[in-house]
Amino acid sequence: MATQRVGDVMTPDVEVVRPSDSLRVAAEKMRELNVGPIPVCDGDQLVGMVTDRDIVIRAVARGLDAERTQVAQAMTRGVEYVYDDDDLTQAAEKMRASQLRRIVVLNRAKQLVGILSLGDVSAELSDEESGRTLEEVSAPSQPAAH
């Protein structure tokens, strides 16, 4: 059987927000799409991710106005990613290691081309491999050091 590539199973045409968008715009898009994380792109380059949790912890909890606060102020930079031509098994390993339910997919020009979810991975890998991925991604994470 041929090696399965990330690009064969990922979800293409991912909705994004810009770093200059307000957090309200990002939250509204999350509500419309029924998702928690949204990639942040400057043009066609991935610059970060913003999650519903980022908005709450980094903005709302600090009293920032969601209408006037830009996504860039709450987003996470240095996002984990895989390439569309990566082997699916290696992508699953990266998801396990970082406990990610979704990971962004870039082409070799580092342009966002899709997103790979735990569901995408589970549907394609063996029952044993997908079960291990789900178990490790879902394991409680260690508290961050202060």
Side-chain angles (χ1 to χ4, degrees), residues 17-19 23 26 30 36-42 45-59 62 70-81 98 100 102 104:
V17 292
R18 297 182 315 262
L23 292 179
M30 289 172 183
I38 295 185
V40 181
C41 289
D42 189 0
Q45 296 296 306
L46 179 71
V47 295
M49 285 285 272
V50 66
T51 67
D52 47 0
R53 186 175 192 279
D54 292 334
I55 292 171
V56 170
I57 301 297
R58 295 178 181 165
R62 294 168 64 202
Q70 293 183 340
V71 167
Q73 293 175 258
M75 73 182 193
T76 299
R77 298 172 194 276
V79 175
E80 293 281 341
Y81 60 88
S98 299
L100 299 172
R102 289 175 189 78
V104 292

Side-chain angles (χ1 to χ4, degrees), residues 3 8 11 14 22 44 48-49 56 58 65 71 74 77 83 94 97 99 101 109-110 113 118 122 134 139-140 146:
T3 302
D8 298 331
T11 300
V14 177
S22 73
D44 61 0
M49 285 285 272
V56 170
R58 295 178 181 165
D65 182 342
V71 167
R77 298 172 194 276
Y83 290 110
K94 191 168 202 174
Q99 289 192 302
R101 292 181 178 275
K110 296 242 177 140
V113 295
L118 190 55
S122 296
L134 176 61
H146 289 86

Side-chain angles (χ1 to χ4, degrees), residues 4 10 12 21 28-29 37-38 40 43 48 52 58 76 94 97 99 101 106-109 111 115-116 141 143:
Q4 198 90 56
M10 70 181 190
D21 285 340
E28 178 64 20
K29 193 169 273 197
I38 295 185
V40 181
D52 47 0
R58 295 178 181 165
T76 299
K94 191 168 202 174
Q99 289 192 302
R101 292 181 178 275
L106 307 181
N107 63 20
R108 291 293 169 171
Q111 297 165 317
I115 196 156
L116 183 68
S141 59

